[in-house]
């Protein structure tokens, strides 16, 4: 066993056999913001065999306060988070196989990546995506660790298909605040607390110590000194459309997947188009419109009072409006 993981292997619940198991496992990380970047670093330092990262966004200045893998240069160059994370993680542990995807997490984009995944970690920032994850994990019988944080509050729960209540069951039984980091802010320790719970559960699952898994929903408020665990066993429902006796996986239906959406609290609209774009051609065409920035993954242009960002997978972010109608108008003005 490599000396690199000696201190982790000395921990009896892991040991050398557990460390070997960690090195053979594949984790899918959905989202590479605050929770995602911290989870990714923890997994890579722990010696995970393979890590796949999915994130649709690029590094912005406000990310640097809490998203630990990114630098000012990543922000200046508008590097996609998944790509910036992969570069930094490779510097931390070059033995880990890391795949980075600059895509939106949808049913059609996620399902092809699940073939040999042992565990999924939720690091998303919206429940639309989480419900898709929830249905997919139930369908493919893959365990996943839910995590959420805002302000000084956070929560985490480990979901095991066929055993525990799923996310749909939990949310039907537990009121969830609609606050976001963009509307009420967040402090860095909140992120670390959620990640600590997610990482501990991830390690238990990776070394296959299921008896040690936390079976309760954890909620906390660091600023107001509150910590609570809640038994969710009774929330599991036989009629649940995701984990019940006759699942129908509602959120995997095309009509339930957003094509155009307002990104909560960000004064931004995302438009999703199945048609991939030529960034080179688009950048040249937009030079007559406004100031253009381009890298291998996206093209952005300053247009009137808006910043419009085009991704290679066909997604477009229109910053500066919460109006879908306005965003569509701008999109068609620039793309025809």
């Amino acid at each position: 066993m490599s000396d690199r993981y000696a201190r982790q292997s000395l921990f009896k619940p892991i040991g050398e056999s557990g460390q070997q198991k960690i090195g053979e496992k594949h984790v899918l990380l959905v989202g590479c913001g605050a929770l995602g970047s911290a989870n990714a670093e923890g997994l890579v330092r722990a010696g995970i065999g393979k890590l796949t990262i999915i994130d649709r966004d690029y590094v912005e200045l406000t990310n640097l306060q809490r998203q630990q893998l990114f630098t000012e240069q990543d922000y200046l160059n508008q590097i996609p988070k998944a790509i910036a994370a992969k570069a930094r993680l490779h510097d931390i542990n070059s033995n880990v196989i890391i795949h980075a995807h600059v895509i939106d997490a949808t049913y059609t984009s996620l399902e092809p990546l699940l073939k040999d995944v042992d565990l999924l970690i939720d690091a998303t920032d919206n429940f639309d995506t989480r419900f898709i994850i929830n249905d997919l994990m139930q369908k493919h019988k893959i365990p996943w660790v839910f995590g959420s944080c805002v302000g000084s509050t956070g929560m985490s729960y480990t979901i095991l298909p066929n055993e525990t209540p799923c996310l749909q069951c939990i949310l039907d039984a537990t009121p969830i605040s609609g606050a976001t980091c963009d509307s009420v802010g967040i402090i860095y320790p909140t992120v670390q607390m959620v990640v600590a719970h997610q990482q501990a559960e991830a390690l238990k699952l990776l070394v296959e110590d299921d008896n040690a898994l936390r079976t309760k929903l954890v909620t906390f408020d660091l600023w107001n000194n509150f910590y609570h665990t809640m038994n969710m066993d009774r929330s599991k429902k036989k009629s649940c459309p995701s984990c019940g006796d006759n699942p129908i996986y509602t959120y995997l239906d095309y009509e339930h997947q957003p094509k155009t959406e307002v990104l909560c609290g960000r004064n931004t609209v995302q438009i999703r188009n199945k048609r991939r774009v030529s960034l080179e051609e688009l950048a040249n065409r937009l030079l007559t419109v406004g100031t253009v920035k381009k890298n291998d993954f996206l093209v952005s242009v300053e247009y009137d009072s808006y910043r419009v960002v085009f991704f290679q997978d066909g997604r477009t972010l229109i910053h500066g409006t919460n109006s879908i109608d306005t965003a569509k108008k701008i999109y068609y003005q620039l793309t025809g």
Side-chain angles (χ1 to χ4, degrees):
M1 181 62 61
S2 168
D3 289 343
R4 179 180 195 124
Y5 309 112
R7 299 299 181 269
Q8 186 165 274
S9 299
L10 280 174
F11 181 62
K12 287 186 178 180
I14 293 180
E16 292 193 5
S17 62
Q19 188 62 52
Q20 182 174 344
K21 289 178 181 178
I22 292 172
E24 296 169 349
K25 298 295 174 64
H26 178 193
V27 175
L28 175 60
L29 179 66
V30 184
C32 198
L35 293 178
S37 57
N39 268 298
E41 182 168 339
L43 290 167
V44 164
R45 290 189 184 278
I48 190 70
K50 184 192 297 184
L51 177 65
T52 297
I53 302 170
I54 292 175
D55 193 277
R56 66 184 180 183
D57 218 339
Y58 57 94
V59 180
E60 298 189 80
L61 185 61
T62 56
N63 299 152
L64 302 182
Q65 167 252 346
R66 65 197 180 282
Q67 299 182 15
Q68 64 190 52
L69 289 177
F70 309 131
T71 67
E72 291 180 354
Q73 199 60 48
D74 295 327
Y75 151 66
L76 292 172
N77 292 337
Q78 294 184 325
I79 303 298
K81 292 180 182 180
I83 302 303
K86 179 180 179 179
R88 173 63 175 152
L89 293 168
H90 185 268
D91 289 342
I92 292 172
N93 191 344
S94 59
N95 295 319
V96 177
I97 298 170
I98 302 172
H99 298 300
H101 300 275
V102 187
I103 55 176
D104 208 5
T106 67
Y107 169 39
T108 53
S109 67
L110 284 173
E111 191 163 46
L113 302 176
L114 298 179
K115 183 178 179 181
D116 62 346
V117 166
D118 299 291
L119 170 67
L120 182 145
I121 294 183
D122 161 43
T124 62
D125 59 1
N126 69 89
F127 278 93
D128 286 336
T129 303
R130 289 188 178 109
F131 284 133
I132 292 172
I133 290 172
N134 187 59
D135 276 1
L136 270 174
M137 296 304 97
Q138 295 297 322
K139 178 181 176 182
H140 291 275
K141 312 304 179 190
I142 299 172
W144 67 290
V145 186
F146 160 71
S148 176
C149 58
V150 64
S152 60
T153 66
M155 62 175 60
S156 180
Y157 186 70
T158 303
I159 300 174
L160 306 177
N162 294 336
E163 296 183 38
T164 68
C166 73
L167 184 66
Q168 185 76 55
C169 295
I170 293 170
L171 295 187
D172 285 346
T174 308
I176 301 294
S177 166
T180 70
C181 298
D182 299 283
S183 60
V184 303
I186 187 168
I187 57 174
Y188 185 58
T190 307
V191 176
Q192 295 301 304
M193 178 67 94
V194 174
V195 171
H197 284 91
Q198 288 185 297
Q199 285 283 289
E201 293 296 282
L203 287 172
K204 295 172 192 176
L205 286 163
L206 294 173
V207 302
E208 302 170 13
D209 188 2
D210 292 356
N211 291 331
L213 289 169
R214 172 174 37 81
T215 59
K216 297 181 179 181
L217 172 70
V218 168
T219 62
F220 65 84
D221 185 333
L222 292 178
W223 204 262
N224 294 297
N225 307 306
F226 170 84
Y227 187 94
H228 181 65
T229 60
M230 186 184 311
N231 190 333
M232 303 303 298
D233 289 346
R234 295 179 64 182
S235 66
K236 187 171 177 61
K237 299 185 302 183
K238 291 184 178 180
S239 61
C240 176
S242 183
C243 72
D245 291 344
N246 298 291
I248 57 175
Y249 310 125
T250 307
Y251 288 90
L252 302 187
D253 292 340
Y254 180 75
E255 58 266 26
H256 284 92
Q257 299 178 40
K259 289 82 181 174
T260 303
E261 59 184 318
V262 178
L263 302 188
C264 186
R266 291 185 57 186
N267 198 32
T268 299
V269 173
Q270 174 175 266
I271 295 175
R272 189 184 302 146
N273 190 322
K274 290 184 178 180
R275 178 171 52 87
R276 295 176 67 89
V277 299
S278 166
L279 296 182
E280 190 71 36
E281 179 182 330
L282 186 60
N284 291 334
R285 184 148 42 91
L286 292 174
L287 287 173
T288 59
V289 174
T291 302
V292 174
K293 289 186 177 181
K294 175 185 175 295
N295 57 41
D296 291 339
F297 311 99
L298 58 85
V299 169
S300 70
V301 60
E302 302 294 331
Y303 178 66
D304 291 338
S305 59
Y306 308 100
R307 184 168 87 257
V308 184
V309 183
F310 299 89
F311 292 85
Q312 198 167 40
D313 65 355
R315 288 180 302 113
T316 303
L317 298 181
I318 294 91
H319 299 281
T321 182
N322 281 326
S323 166
I324 289 177
D325 288 340
T326 299
K328 285 183 175 179
K329 180 180 179 181
I330 295 166
Y331 176 79
Y332 289 121
Q333 286 174 342
L334 295 178
T335 66

